[in-house]
């Protein structure tokens, strides 16, 4: 079996420069050293016959990624899948916004026959003790396992659903977590013996069959005006009003706990209500690492819920942000978009209990 690798940039392929780390490593050479033809395969990679590689232009630090960058990956994946529909794909990506990209890909690639596994590393592939090799071999093992459908992220021994991951550490090799949903699989200490969460092979981030927002040929990602707004003790109504002027298309409001805002603050709830009345979708997320947003559970979240704000339930910030961008790209806006945020597209959200 061939696995196609799409290199998008990130630390994994970076080298030192006077301005800090920049893309520039010989990735193709490194890969051929990692998987030398004719030599016995590494455990778990016996059925991997070859890899092919394309690199996106320009290679970027993922901190510079935009929805257009997500779209460039979607198009590269689709172009390869059009020729080789059954070939798994591994995407090499910077870690900083990898969880946003994995969620974005999971929405846009619903229905793709082969799995897409995204990975990167905390240290460049050439650095001593780098995690690049373990992560790339792990991503390849997941890709050819026959047990993943949809988009997944492999990092630090964990395979996570694409719409459930979050970057949890800027330095630890265990750099990603799935705060609410359990990992799809854990790699064994030898890298090969994996423990899968489900025995039946349906471990991927497949679209819910009832999801009307999952589309076989979605409209492309473009840059829509979605603002992420954090609450903090002492934030004023005037500040929130100023941050919402001019009005964005959607607001992800990172509130406290289950979705509470400082509702005693003069003008704060009103500023949010005005945004909703003006046509913005207001989606309330939580600052908790592990959360289930239940708007209206407390008085402090009730007024914005009554005005039309919706909660992200158990979505990560990355999944919610990419979903708002995806839905805007599909032409949804305002209350229609807010309503669609609550329906799962690709396993990013637990069904309502
Ligand atoms: N700044 C880098 C990036 O996201 C960090 C990394 O890859 O680990 O591209």
């Amino acid at each position: 079996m061939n696995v196609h690798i799409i290199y998008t940039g990130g630390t994994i392929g970076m080298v030192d420069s006077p301005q800090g780390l920049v893309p520039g490593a010989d990735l193709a050479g490194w890969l051929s050293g990692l998987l030398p033809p004719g030599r016995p395969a590494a455990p778990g990679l016996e059925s991997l016959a070859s890899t092919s590689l394309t690199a996106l232009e320009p290679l970027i630090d993922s901190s510079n990624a935009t929805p257009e960058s997500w779209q460039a990956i979607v198009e590269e994946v689709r172009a390869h899948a059009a020729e080789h529909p059954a070939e798994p794909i591994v995407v090499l990506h910077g870690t900083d916004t990898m969880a946003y990209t994995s969620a974005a890909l999971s929405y846009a690639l619903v229905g793709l026959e082969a799995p897409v596994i995204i990975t990167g590393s905390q240290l460049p592939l050439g650095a001593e003790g780098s995690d690049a090799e373990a992560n790339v071999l792990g991503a390849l093992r997941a890709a050819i396992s026959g047990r993943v459908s949809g988009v997944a992220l492999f990092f630090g021994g964990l395979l996570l659903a694409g719409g459930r991951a979050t970057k949890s550490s800027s330095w630890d090799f265990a750099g990603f977590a799935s705060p609410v949903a359990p990992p799809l699989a854990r790699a064994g200490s030898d890298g090969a013996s994996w423990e899968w969460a489900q025995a039946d092979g349906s471990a991927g981030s497949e679209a819910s069959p009832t999801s009307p927002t999952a589309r076989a040929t979605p409209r492309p990602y473009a840059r829509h005006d979605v603002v992420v707004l954090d609450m903090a003790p002492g934030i004023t109504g005037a500040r929130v009003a100023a941050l919402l002027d001019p009005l964005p298309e959607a607001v992800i409001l990172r509130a406290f706990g289950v979705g509470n805002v400082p509702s005693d603050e003069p003008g704060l709830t009103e500023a949010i209500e005005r945004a909703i009345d003006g046509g913005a979708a207001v989606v309330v997320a939580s600052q908790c690492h592990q959360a289930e947003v239940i708007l209206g559970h407390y008085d402090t979240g009730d007024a914005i819920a009554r005005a039309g704000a919706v909660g992200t339930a158990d979505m990560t910030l990355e999944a919610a942000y990419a979903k708002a961008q995806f839905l805007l790209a599909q032409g949804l806006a305002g209350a229609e978009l807010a309503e669609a945020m609550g329906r799962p597209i690709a396993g990013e959200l637990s069904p309502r209990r």
Side-chain angles (χ1 to χ4, degrees):
M1 181 188 293
N2 184 66
V3 173
H4 186 61
I5 299 175
I6 300 172
Y7 174 39
T8 68
T11 295
I12 190 162
M14 288 189 181
V15 289
D16 263 328
S17 83
Q19 291 79 38
L21 288 170
V22 290
D26 173 16
L27 189 79
W30 179 77
L31 278 172
S32 59
L34 194 61
L35 306 159
R39 282 232 225 114
L45 292 173
E46 293 80 4
S47 61
L48 180 69
S50 58
T51 57
S52 48
L53 174 69
T54 52
L56 293 190
E57 263 299 316
L59 295 170
I60 58 167
D61 185 306
S62 78
S63 305
N64 283 316
T66 67
E68 282 107 347
S69 320
W70 305 340
Q71 187 57 29
I73 304 173
V74 168
E75 281 165 19
E76 190 70 19
V77 168
R78 286 203 180 281
H80 188 81
E83 301 277 310
H84 310 280
E87 267 185 21
I89 290 177
V90 166
V91 176
L92 303 183
H93 196 283
T95 62
D96 284 346
T97 64
M98 186 153 73
Y100 291 88
T101 301
S102 67
L105 296 184
S106 70
Y107 306 137
L109 296 173
V110 163
L112 201 78
E113 186 182 327
V116 175
I117 316 291
I118 187 164
T119 193
S121 61
Q122 299 279 31
L123 296 179
L125 56 83
E128 207 184 316
S130 170
D131 52 339
E133 177 173 329
N135 287 347
V136 171
L137 292 178
L140 289 168
R141 286 187 182 104
I144 63 173
S145 66
R147 306 180 69 137
V148 183
S149 54
V151 177
L153 183 154
F154 183 84
F155 206 93
L158 292 181
L159 184 69
L160 309 174
R164 293 294 200 167
T166 190
K167 183 171 176 176
S168 53
S169 173
S170 65
W171 52 268
D172 198 319
F173 284 179
F176 283 79
S178 172
V180 176
L184 303 178
R186 288 171 197 277
S189 53
D190 60 353
S193 42
W194 285 37
E195 197 186 296
W196 291 83
Q198 289 184 32
D200 64 358
S202 61
S205 52
E206 276 176 305
S208 145
T210 54
S211 170
T213 35
R215 297 169 190 221
T217 47
R219 292 193 210 154
Y221 281 109
R223 204 187 293 203
H224 284 275
D225 189 5
V226 181
V227 68
V228 179
L229 194 56
D230 260 293
M231 294 293 103
I235 192 165
T236 62
R239 171 50 61 213
V240 172
L243 288 167
L244 295 177
D245 183 18
L247 192 64
E249 292 170 273
V251 183
I252 314 255
L253 194 77
R254 296 220 318 148
F256 308 122
V258 292
N260 302 314
V261 299
S263 56
D264 285 346
E265 202 55 46
L268 191 140
T269 303
E270 291 78 356
I272 297 165
E273 287 169 349
R274 267 201 309 283
I276 296 169
D277 291 346
V282 174
V283 186
V284 181
S286 172
Q287 295 176 3
C288 296
H289 185 56
Q290 200 169 44
E292 165 96 53
V293 175
I294 313 165
L295 278 191
H297 190 62
Y298 292 89
D299 183 39
T300 43
D302 188 52
I304 57 169
R306 276 190 281 108
V310 296
T312 53
D314 64 357
M315 277 185 281
T316 61
L317 169 69
E318 294 89 333
Y321 181 84
K323 190 170 183 177
Q325 289 284 354
F326 179 77
L327 295 172
L328 284 161
Q330 307 318 304
L332 273 66
E336 207 190 353
L337 188 154
E339 201 264 327
M341 286 294 290
R343 279 185 265 125
I345 301 175
E348 76 285 2
L349 174 68
S350 304
R352 275 190 198 121
R353 288 185 280 262

